[in-house]
Amino acid sequence: AAGKPAQLTPPNLLESTPQHLSVSDSFLGKELAASLRKVYDDRFSNTRSTLTERFVWDYWHVPNQYSLMRTAADDFFGEELYGQLCDALTDHGQKNLGCNSITQPWLSFYVDGCEQRMHTDSWHGPFAYVLSLTEWEGR
């Protein structure tokens, strides 16, 4: 009928195949990934440094869930790089996962004895991610 908006047919979710794991090797961009990694490398390049910026890690232990070292990404990377990281994560989530926003990114590292067991962080939303800045070729 004239003047009526077209009706959109929603996807049949009962016929869709759930995807429990998604790997994206290039959403961040090599230049941004290298800049983020450089911040980490520069901060820890002098193993004897006593600058306070090296001591921002919190040991976070929840029995039967996880044990790790963590820090807030905004404090660690600074405003400009943090903004670029959030923009890249948000853009990827919107285009590929149907998310409209992200929660605050955290950084973590694991040493011998640290772990992450099966748990839920559902209050953060339906998806979780791991963004590795590891230089795999030099490892």
Side-chain angles (χ1 to χ4, degrees):
K4 280 190 164 182
Q7 291 269 341
L8 296 176
T9 304
N12 185 345
L13 297 178
L14 296 176
E15 294 179 8
S16 66
T17 303
Q19 184 178 354
H20 300 288
L21 176 67
S22 174
V23 177
S24 177
D25 289 331
S26 59
F27 85 92
L28 190 57
K30 289 184 179 186
E31 188 174 304
L32 179 54
S35 296
L36 293 167
R37 178 63 199 211
K38 185 175 181 339
V39 170
Y40 178 87
D41 289 341
D42 288 351
R43 187 163 290 185
F44 293 100
S45 64
N46 180 353
T47 57
R48 295 190 181 274
S49 173
T50 57
L51 295 175
T52 57
E53 62 188 18
R54 285 183 51 112
F55 300 98
V56 297
W57 297 94
D58 170 46
Y59 176 65
W60 197 31
H61 173 73
V62 177
N64 300 313
Q65 290 188 12
Y66 30 74
S67 297
L68 53 102
M69 301 298 292
R70 70 178 184 162
T71 193
D74 57 344
D75 289 336
F76 192 85
F77 289 125
E79 187 175 338
E80 183 179 337
L81 282 177
Y82 178 74
Q84 291 176 39
L85 171 62
C86 288
D87 288 348
L89 289 169
T90 302
D91 186 59
H92 180 76
Q94 289 173 344
K95 289 180 180 175
N96 299 289
L97 303 171
C99 299
N100 64 354
S101 63
I102 62 170
T103 57
Q104 177 188 12
W106 286 81
L107 302 177
S108 59
F109 72 84
Y110 300 78
V111 293
D112 195 23
C114 289
E115 65 180 342
Q116 193 159 143
R117 295 185 186 184
M118 292 295 289
H119 67 279
T120 181
D121 289 331
S122 58
W123 54 89
H124 290 294
F127 298 102
Y129 65 91
V130 173
L131 172 63
S132 175
L133 298 175
T134 301
E135 291 180 331
W136 293 104
E137 292 80 25
R139 195 165 172 214

